[in-house]
Amino acid sequence: MVFRGTRLLFIFSIFFLFLSCDRQKVKESGEVTTPEQQFTEVKAALLEKIWRLNPEWATSVGYHKYDSELVIPTPERLENEVASYRSMLNDLHKINRTNLSLNNQTDYQMLEDFFNGRIWYATVLKPAEWNPADYNIGGGVAEILNGRYDSLTNRLRSISLKIEHVVPYYEAAKNNIKKPTLEHTQLAILQNKGALTVFDELADSIKVARLKPFEKDFLQSRIATAKTEINSYISFLQNDILPTVRKGQGRSFRIGKELFSQKFKYDIQSGYSAEQVYQKALQHKDYLHREMLALTQKLWPVYFPDEPLTPGLPGVKQLLGKLAEQYVRRDSFLIAIKTQIPQLVAFVNAKKLLTQDPTKPLVVRPTPEYMRGIAGASISAPGPYDKSANTYYNVTPLTHYNAAEAESYLREYNKYQLQILNIHEAIPGHYTQLIYANKSPSIIKAVLGNGAMVEGWAVYSERMMLEQGYGNNAPEMWLTWYKWNMRVTLNAIIDYSIHVLGMTEKEALALLVNEGFQEEAEAREKWKRATLSQVQLSSYFTGYTEIYDLREEMKKKQGKDFNLKKFHEQFLSYGSSPVRFIRTLMLKNEN
C-alpha cells in the first residue's frame, strides 16, 4: 500500500509538473510568466511584423514607424509576404489557446483568421494580377500629408523618402497585371488621376514647410517623378490594357460560387454561410414589402386624398416618389449634412443611448479625388495609435452628374433618407463605433476590424434610433427606413446573385428600381459597386441581422433588467470583432 501510494503520488507529481509547464513558462531570468503574459508578448511581436509588412495600413491606424516605406509589389515580395504570414501562424500556434481567457481566445482566433485570409488572398484570389486599382500611391501619401501627429516638415520628409521608390513601384505594378477586369482597369485610371491632385497639394505644402533647401529640391524632384510615373501608369492602362480587355482578353469581374463562398468566410466571418445569408435576405425582402404596403395604405389618403390607392408595390413606389420630392438643392447637399450632425448628437444624449466623446472631431468634407468612384459617402477614421486625429465624413460632390442625374441622386437622398444616411455614417453609426473601437482594451479587436460588424452596427443604429423615437415616430420616416433597409437587403441579394448566379445588369437594375424603389442613378451606382467589390455588399445585412438578434436575445434573458445603453456600450467595448465572437463574450459575461 505504501509503495503503491508513493508511486501514485509520484505519478500525480509528474502529471502536475507537465500541467504546470503547459500553463506557465519560466524565463531565463527565473521569472515565471503565465499564458496570458506570453500571449501579450506574442501579440505585440506579431503586430509589429504586420505593420512592417503593411506600412500604409500602419499609417492609417496611426502607427507611423514605417511612414517612409513604400512596398514594391514584385512577385518576390509577394512570396515573402506569404512566407511571413505562415511564419506568424507558426508563432501563434506555439501558444496553447485553451489556457487563455475567453477575451484572449477571441484575439487568438482573430489573428489566426487574419493570417489565413491574407495567405488565401495572395495564393488563391490573387487580386494583384487582375485589379489594377490595387496600385495607387496617392492614398498613402495623402494619409501622411493630412495627418496631425507630427510637424508638416517631418511628415514631408517621410513622404520624400516614401516616393523615392515610385519608379520601381509602378514598374512592378505593370508587370504584375496579367488578365485584369475591365471594371477594375477603369477604376484604376479614375483613381490614379485623382492621385495626381494629391501631389499638387503636396507641392503647395513645400512652400510653408521648414525644409532645408536641398530637402525641398529633392522633394520637388521626386514629386515630378511621381507624377510622371502615375501618368505613365494611366497611359499604360489606357493604351495597352484597355484595348486588350475590351477584345475579351481580360477576366470577368464575377468571381464565381467557390471563390465567393471562400471570400465570404474570410471577410464576413459570420455564423452563416454565403448561401444562407442570401436565403435570409430573400425572406427579409418579403417582410419589408409587407410592412411597406401596410404603411402605404395608412399614408395614401394624406398625400393622394383624391386618388384611389394604387395596389401593390407600384403604390409604394408612387408614395415614395411623392416623399422624394422633398430634397435639398444640389449646392446645399454638403451643408445639409453638416447641419444635421449636431441634431443627432443631441438626440443620442437626450435618450441616453450611449456615451459620446465630444473631444473627438468629426469633419465633413468633399471626398478626396483619389478615393472617388465607389461610394457616395464614407467615413475615414483614425486608428487606435492616433486616437486624437480627425475622423472625416467623406461626401462625394455631385459635379460629375448632369442636371437630370443630380436630381435623381438628390431624390434618392431626400429629406428623410438623408437623415438615415447621417445616422449610418456618423452618429451613432460608423463614426461613433470606430471611436469606441479605438478605446478597446484589446488593440487586436481595434485594428483587425470585421467589416460585417462595422457595417452591421451602422445599419442597426438606424433602426434603433427610429425605435427610440427619432423623427417623432413619423410613418414617413419609417417607410423611408424600410426602403433604406430594403437597400441593405438587396445589397446581399445582388451581391450573391451577380457573382454566383450570373445576374445581368438589366436584371439587377430592375430589382433595385422596381422592388427596392431606388432612383435609377442610385441603382446604376450600385451595379457599378457590385462589379468592383465582392462580398462587401453582403456585410451590411449579415452584421445587422446578427446584432439585432443578439440584442433581442439579451433582452429576453435579462427581462426588466435590460438596459439599452449598457448593451450598446458593452457591445462596442469589444472593438470591431466579428459579431459571433462578441455574442460569445457577452453571453459568457451574462452567465
Side-chain angles (χ1 to χ4, degrees), residues 498-510:
I498 289 170
H499 287 284
V500 176
L501 305 178
M503 175 181 271
T504 66
E505 180 178 5
K506 183 178 179 180
E507 291 170 336
L509 294 179

Side-chain angles (χ1 to χ4, degrees), residues 338-355:
K338 289 182 179 180
T339 302
Q340 285 181 11
I341 301 303
Q343 299 170 7
L344 294 174
V345 172
F347 183 86
V348 169
N349 288 337
K351 293 290 184 176
K352 299 180 180 178
L353 300 178
L354 44 74
T355 302

Side-chain angles (χ1 to χ4, degrees), residues 448-502:
L448 299 186
N450 174 256
M453 182 275 177
V454 173
E455 295 296 352
W457 169 264
V459 177
Y460 162 79
S461 68
E462 304 156 14
R463 177 170 183 172
M464 180 271 295
M465 288 282 278
L466 265 65
E467 288 174 336
Q468 295 303 307
Y470 182 82
N472 298 318
N473 212 30
E476 291 91 343
M477 184 64 81
W478 273 104
L479 181 62
T480 304
W481 181 78
Y482 283 133
K483 177 196 170 183
W484 182 270
N485 196 246
M486 178 65 77
R487 200 167 80 157
V488 167
T489 306
L490 293 184
N491 278 352
I493 292 173
I494 68 168
D495 194 24
Y496 190 85
S497 297
I498 289 170
H499 287 284
V500 176
L501 305 178

Side-chain angles (χ1 to χ4, degrees), residues 82 99 106 118 147 193 250 270 283 307 321 331 351 405 407 429 452 464 479 538 549 561 574 583:
V82 171
N99 291 336
T106 304
R118 282 300 177 105
K193 286 180 177 179
S270 169
Q283 294 171 10
E307 294 183 31
D331 57 357
K351 293 290 184 176
E405 291 170 335
E407 182 182 3
M464 180 271 295
L479 181 62
S538 298
D549 288 350
D561 294 327
Y574 297 111
R583 180 182 182 278

Side-chain angles (χ1 to χ4, degrees), residues 323-336:
L323 298 181
E325 293 175 4
Q326 303 178 57
Y327 60 84
V328 300
R329 297 193 313 273
R330 182 176 188 164
D331 57 357
S332 302
F333 191 63
L334 195 68
I335 297 171

Side-chain angles (χ1 to χ4, degrees), residues 59-64 147-149 382-390 438:
T59 298
S60 72
V61 297
Y63 192 77
H64 298 290
R148 300 193 311 167
Y149 56 91
Y385 296 99
D386 193 16
K387 300 175 185 179
S388 63
N390 290 343
N438 282 347

Side-chain angles (χ1 to χ4, degrees), residues 24-34 37-38 41:
Q24 60 185 22
K25 183 178 181 180
V26 180
K27 290 186 174 181
E28 292 181 3
S29 63
E31 179 187 352
V32 177
T33 61
T34 66
Q37 292 170 327
Q38 295 167 32
E41 293 176 1

Side-chain angles (χ1 to χ4, degrees), residues 41-61:
E41 293 176 1
V42 169
K43 281 195 291 186
L46 290 175
L47 273 178
E48 186 64 29
K49 292 177 181 179
I50 290 171
W51 301 142
R52 192 181 305 129
L53 282 176
N54 302 276
E56 290 195 1
W57 181 19
T59 298
S60 72
V61 297

